Amino acid sequence: MENNDEDSKIQSNGEQAILEAAEILFSEKGFDAISMSSIAKLARTSKPNIYHHFKSKKALYQEVLNSAARRSSALLDELVDAPGSFSQRLSQFSAGQLKSILAHKRATQLILRETLSGGSQRGREIAQHYVGESFSRLVAMIRQGQQEGEFREDLDPALAAFMIVSGNVFFFQTAPVVEHLPDISFSDDADGFSQGVMKLLFTGLLKDQEDAA
Amino acid sequence: MENNDEDSKIQSNGEQAILEAAEILFSEKGFDAISMSSIAKLARTSKPNIYHHFKSKKALYQEVLNSAARRSSALLDELVDAPGSFSQRLSQFSAGQLKSILAHKRATQLILRETLSGGSQRGREIAQHYVGESFSRLVAMIRQGQQEGEFREDLDPALAAFMIVSGNVFFFQTAPVVEHLPDISFSDDADGFSQGVMKLLFTGLLKDQEDAA
DNA sequence: TGCTCGACTGACCGAACGGTCGGTTAGTAT
DNA sequence: ATACTAACCGACCGTTCGGTCAGTCGAGCA
């Protein structure tokens, strides 16, 4: 073999095909609903060959989860240090996060499912790392915006960040259901949704009348 | 038999026990991960007896889903027509919805799972009915608040309603994960969370400076 | 007393599950 | 040629799955 690397060998085509097939199926139906045979079939290989590359069904699932999280957690970091006002940066971050979610639907679905079904500590760790990463950066951005006088200081920055992430995730999560609801005009317009959310979060629902609720 | 009702017979103890056991297990791990044997064991009965009461595993699951949706979709309706300003009513509705979610964790988990895994049209129908019911009332309330001059009119009422529901659902959904995150102080305080959310949604992030973004 | 009927069960079914075994192929190094 | 190895597969293992069958038991009615 011409490869003398210790750690970072390039995976063979076959292994990649297995991972992709597994990601597709696991993200659609979850761990328990998917059989190794169906993965083998979709990957155009045999079941024993999967066990040649991965030691068990759980190990394959974890690997799929890892690669999904790895792919999704990039891309956001650049937006944190962008120029502009904090309002603009916040809007860009929110829109970028939603775009990233929609660009990695299968990965998002996998991580979301793992978050909901509190199984395997590993899944929760991934979820924490995945959302926690961008979340704490978001909080820091808002807090800085408060210190520099752009944002109100009587609001919990973590709560504002939570609402942004919440809206984005929920938008993705309920897209199939929400499409057929009346009242809703933003179901297939991610950009419009992002803009609307930020406008709402920036200016608030109440009319400006110096209220003292 | 001393019962001559046509339609609304009280279920026997056994059937109720099966439904409860199934709800517990299905809500924890989902449809595919739960076997009929495990349900029978938890309900202290036998597998054939489950098939005596329900014609298949899917039928049992649908029944569990139905009863869960039935139980959860009540309770909110009263709050819609409560007295007070629209701000107060909106806050009460949001807090009430979150309280209802937390009071029916298993039912919420079931419906949420069904929403995520787009399977069975029936599940989607239930989700639509479940969230759609309270959602459209929420939209109507906000729209009325706009017409009566309490809320800004340049905001999509459906989007505001969406954010309220989104925050509540996401709060429940991420509670186990969010507990171990720094930055977050509201993880185990539903009331505080509700108040914070409404304060944010009412007044907005920006300082009042008559901006023209 | 006998009869019916709903609630319930142990034993069992074919099918599908996760996983293993022995063996084949193809490329590479000696 | 020989030897070694990663990639791959058909056939098979024990187990468990959803579901069925034949039958038991006890309460209500005749």
Side-chain angles (χ1 to χ4, degrees), chain B residues 58-124:
Chain B
K58 281 184 184 174
L60 170 59
Y61 183 72
Q62 300 283 12
E63 207 52 53
V64 168
L65 221 56
N66 279 334
S67 90
R70 224 178 296 128
R71 249 175 301 129
S72 304
S73 65
L75 180 67
L76 270 303
D77 299 357
E78 322 157 8
L79 296 180
V80 171
D81 302 318
S85 71
F86 285 103
S87 309
Q88 290 169 330
R89 287 169 56 189
L90 212 54
S91 295
Q92 276 178 25
F93 186 94
S94 174
Q97 182 182 63
L98 182 52
K99 196 162 290 185
S100 167
I101 286 174
L102 295 175
H104 306 87
K105 290 189 180 182
R106 292 201 297 263
T108 306
Q109 189 105 344
L110 278 164
I111 293 164
L112 227 45
R113 203 192 301 274
E114 204 59 25
T115 308
L116 220 161
S117 316
S120 68
Q121 313 102 330
R122 180 70 191 136
R124 193 160 299 183

Side-chain angles (χ1 to χ4, degrees), chain A residues 12 45-46 48-49 52-53:
Chain A
S12 79
T45 182
S46 66
N49 191 36
H52 173 70
H53 291 284

